[in-house]
């Protein structure tokens, strides 16, 4: 056995009397795992691993965020007589990421196996050839039981689909008795790969590893990271238990630096995301360190936000409080003081009612109920037994943006609550309150329609096109007492403060407009058949990025809510809304580098043409005739047309404007529809092919050679693509 894999110093501390492993022991073990490793390339989009156990420590980490707090992409732990290493992405299990990855995997196998040549089992991991070349005996296995596990010293497991609780417990017991586990998964993608399940609740292996104090999370991170450098020294406060102890000592004379406080806070928040609701040890430790949640500290508001510079301690407390509140179960949640500023206080005298809400499983996403849950109050949801534990959930709140990463908070950083429906009767509560929804998983499409009974909610203004009329809205619906309201049709749902909704007098006209907007973009982008659910737009006092941003839901600021619900001939909802809906209609086939903020605007401009019946070039000052003239001047002055083109979205948009001006909107429609037409060949696989196909498809659609036009704008295309359309008549707009 080589000297670098003598493990006696670590084994001597496997059962410390109390507290964490000494820092020098942690460092020594990390050095062994990283021997001969300089760095690990980032592959895919890994997420952070949570660390809080007494025998757990980070292995590889990188700074994340403005304040350079460290997050672990790999962490190790001792558990009983065995050892564990977790990676925040399943691509790190095969040793093929490049650089020193193969060497790192070799070290991990020896460290977890506690011997030079451990027997290795592979479950859904393609590393057999590599391990054979390194001198390891390995084989693949599928069944997870005592018999198969006895055949191995170390197992490498792609944990993405390991949801069975019994299998997770068998692996944990095997590790506890001396086995070595190396596992990886893409935690943030678990809700997609599992059909909408929650990682902290439904992942069998994660649940089983709770006692080891290390786990996967559903967080993302490392956006600005290209590689993870091998470092012997990593912050002790990356371990949440150490961080909690340090926070507690703050009041006992020991002062942490601002950087240490931030590192401690992020470690605790990451660890809390991994905790299942029925495991309260870490939550209780955080509560003990901070005192009872919601009892102290200023409340963030739009007028008096909490800033990183002036309110660091208060932000840490509030941030950890919201993490703890996400773990609260049933009806045992007190209203948080911050709810009064946003989303607002529900009227104390408003009747709490029971309502039957129809749910259509063929429509995934959020089913609106027309009810509001007051902060801190329990609602009771009853569904047919056949629906229980099928991926459905009760959601309270539509304000899904989290604000932890922002320098300024105008509200609490996380104010929604989703409770899985695992039994016919579900109790749910939120410390902040909000509109109530039934979340329908994508995989539920084949289920029978059913009715959910909801008791304890407050009636909210909820207009549905085709069900309600303007007279009902003005006489009764808009006067319902909840502080938030929704106006809906089958293609769009608007969530706004009730005071904003009450300004609407013609909801039928409004929602017919929004219906036509979505249908227009569906039609021209060839996505009518794809639509499974309405778009959603939600007003918020603060959003996670930008003036607005796309997604489900599209998010915008409260001041813009009034424009969103105002439609008439003079003032109509404008550019930003169609821009974000356009983002939701973008597809990779026609969106390449430099067009992420361009092709969506082309779709948005079509709304002006098809729905508003206006000049489609009036929507934004950056597409005015003056600006377009300046674009051509800049193009003549630049020495690198392509760099200019892809760095200036409105200049790039000018290219598409010229095509539509010359060949009409039908040319754009035909181009987008061509990707579903086999006669145009296979879809592009990369950016080079996307640009080539843009040229070839559009040239053939217009019966013009657009090669010189692409050259004039500096859009790079291949000689082969140009040759393919060279027999067509060349075209160039007169202004060029």
């Amino acid at each position: 056995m080589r000297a670098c894999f003598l493990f006696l110093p670590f084994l001597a501390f496997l059962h410390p009397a109390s507290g964490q492993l000494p820092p020098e022991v942690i460092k020594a073990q990390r050095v062994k795992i990283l021997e001969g490793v300089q760095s690990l390339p980032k592959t895919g989009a890994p997420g952070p691993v949570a660390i809080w156990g007494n025998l757990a420590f980070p292995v590889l980490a990188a700074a994340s965020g403005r304040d350079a707090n460290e997050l672990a992409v790999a962490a190790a732990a001792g558990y009983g007589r065995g050892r564990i290493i977790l990676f925040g992405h399943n691509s790190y299990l095969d040793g093929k990421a490049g650089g020193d990855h193969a060497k790192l995997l070799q070290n991990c196998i020896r460290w977890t196996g506690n011997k030079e040549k451990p027997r290795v089992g592979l479950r859904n991991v393609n590393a057999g050839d590599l391990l054979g070349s390194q001198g390891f005996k390995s084989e693949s296995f599928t069944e997870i039981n005592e018999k198969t596990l006895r055949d191995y010293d170390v197992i490498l497991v792609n944990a993405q689909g390991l949801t069975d609780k019994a299998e997770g417990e068998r692996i944990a017991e095997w590790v506890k008795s001396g086995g070595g586990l190396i596992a990886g998964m893409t935690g943030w993608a678990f809700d997609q790969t599992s059909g909408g399940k929650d990682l902290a609740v439904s992942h069998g292996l994660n649940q089983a590893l709770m006692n080891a104090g290390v786990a996967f999370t559903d967080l993302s991170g490392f956006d600005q990271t290209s590689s993870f450098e091998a470092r012997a020294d990593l912050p002790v406060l990356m371990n949440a238990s150490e961080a909690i102890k340090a926070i507690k000592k703050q009041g006992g004379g020991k002062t942490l630096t601002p950087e240490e406080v931030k590192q401690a806070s992020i470690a605790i928040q990451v660890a809390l995301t991994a905790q299942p609701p029925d495991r309260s040890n870490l939550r209780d430790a955080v509560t003990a360190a901070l005192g009872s949640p919601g009892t102290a500290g200023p409340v963030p508001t739009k007028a008096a936000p909490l800033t990183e510079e002036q309110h660091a301690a208060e932000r840490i407390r509030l941030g950890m409080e919201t993490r703890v509140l996400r773990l609260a179960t049933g009806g045992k949640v007190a209203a948080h003081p911050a709810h009064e500023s946003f989303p607002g206080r529900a009227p104390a005298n408003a009747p709490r009612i029971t309502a039957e809400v129809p749910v259509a499983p063929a429509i995934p996403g959020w089913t609106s109920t027309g009810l509001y849950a007051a902060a801190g109050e329990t609602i009771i949801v009853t569904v047919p037994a056949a629906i229980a534990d099928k991926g459905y959930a009760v959601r309270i709140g539509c304000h899904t943006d989290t604000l932890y990463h922002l320098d300024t908070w105008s509200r609490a950083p996380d104010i929604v609550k989703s409770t899985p429906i695992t039994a016919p009767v579900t109790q749910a509560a939120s410390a902040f309150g909000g509109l109530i929804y039934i979340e329908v998983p994508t995989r539920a499409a084949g289920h029978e329609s059913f009715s959910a009974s909801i008791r304890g909610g407050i009636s909210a203004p909820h207009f549905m096109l085709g069900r309600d009329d303007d007279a009902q809205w003005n006489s009764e619906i808009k006067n319902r007492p909840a502080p938030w309201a929704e106006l809906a049709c089958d293609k769009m749902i608007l969530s706004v403060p009730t005071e904003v909704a009450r300004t609407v007098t013609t909801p039928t006209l409004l929602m017919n407009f929004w219906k036509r907007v979505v249908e227009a973009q569906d039609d021209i982008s060839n996505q009518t058949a794809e639509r499974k659910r309405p778009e959603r737009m939600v007003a918020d006092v603060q959003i996670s990025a930008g003036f607005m941003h796309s997604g489900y839901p599209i998010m915008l600021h409260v001041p813009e809510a009034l424009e969103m619900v105002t439609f008439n001939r003079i003032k109509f909802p404008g550019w930003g809304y169609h821009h974000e809906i356009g983002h939701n209609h973008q597809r990779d086939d026609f969106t390449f580098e430099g067009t992420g903020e361009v092709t969506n605007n082309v779709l948005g401009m079509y709304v002006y043409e098809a729905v508003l019946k206006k000049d489609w070039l009036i929507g934004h000052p950056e597409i005015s005739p003056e600006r377009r003239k300046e674009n051509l001047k800049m193009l003549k002055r630049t020495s690198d047309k392509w760099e200019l083109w892809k760095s200036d979205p409105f200049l790039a948009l000018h290219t598409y404007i010229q095509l539509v001006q010359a060949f009409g909107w039908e040319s754009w429609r035909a181009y987008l529809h061509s990707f579903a037409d086999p006669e145009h060949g296979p879809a592009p696989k990369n950016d080079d092919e996307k640009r080539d196909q843009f040229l070839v498809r559009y040239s053939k659609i217009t019966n013009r050679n657009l090669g010189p036009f692409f050259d004039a704008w500096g859009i790079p295309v291949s000689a082969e693509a140009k040759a393919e359309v060279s027999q067509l008549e060349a075209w160039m707009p007169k202004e060029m």
Side-chain angles (χ1 to χ4, degrees), residues 295-482:
T295 59
V299 169
T301 66
K302 184 68 174 177
L306 297 185
T307 66
E308 184 69 69
E309 184 177 350
Q310 297 180 358
H311 307 97
E314 292 87 347
R315 283 165 54 98
I316 289 167
R317 179 187 178 88
L318 180 56
M320 287 193 285
E321 284 176 359
T322 56
R323 295 289 194 192
V324 170
L325 288 167
R326 285 185 72 91
L327 301 178
T329 57
K332 300 179 182 179
V333 178
H336 193 285
H339 90 276
E340 295 191 17
S341 65
F342 195 84
R345 181 193 294 180
N349 61 352
R352 273 56 172 171
I353 65 173
T354 298
E356 296 291 322
V357 177
V359 179
I363 304 175
W366 308 350
T367 297
S368 297
T369 67
L371 298 172
Y372 190 92
E377 293 187 14
T378 303
I379 60 169
I380 299 174
V381 180
T382 304
V383 300
I387 296 302
D389 207 26
K390 293 294 191 299
Y392 294 85
V394 182
R395 169 176 289 275
I396 299 175
C398 56
H399 301 98
T400 57
D401 277 15
T402 57
L403 312 179
Y404 296 105
H405 62 292
L406 299 179
D407 296 343
T408 298
W409 293 349
S410 296
R411 63 160 169 83
D414 189 357
I415 61 174
V416 298
K417 185 67 182 291
S418 180
T419 303
I421 296 175
T422 58
V425 179
T426 301
Q427 292 189 355
S430 163
F432 297 93
L435 289 167
I436 302 170
Y437 305 90
I438 301 299
E439 295 184 54
V440 178
T442 303
R443 60 191 171 91
H447 296 175
E448 295 287 335
S449 296
F450 64 93
S451 178
S453 175
I454 302 176
R455 177 156 59 93
I458 299 170
S459 184
H462 182 213
F463 176 89
M464 182 67 195
L465 184 67
R467 182 192 67 186
D468 307 314
D469 60 33
D470 291 357
Q472 291 171 302
W473 170 257
N474 288 302
S475 64
E476 186 272 322
I477 297 174
K478 75 178 183 182
N479 296 316
R480 293 172 185 172

Side-chain angles (χ1 to χ4, degrees), residues 82-93:
R83 296 174 175 189
I84 301 164
I85 292 179
L86 300 185
F87 287 95
H89 199 281
N90 43 29
S91 65
Y92 288 131
L93 300 174

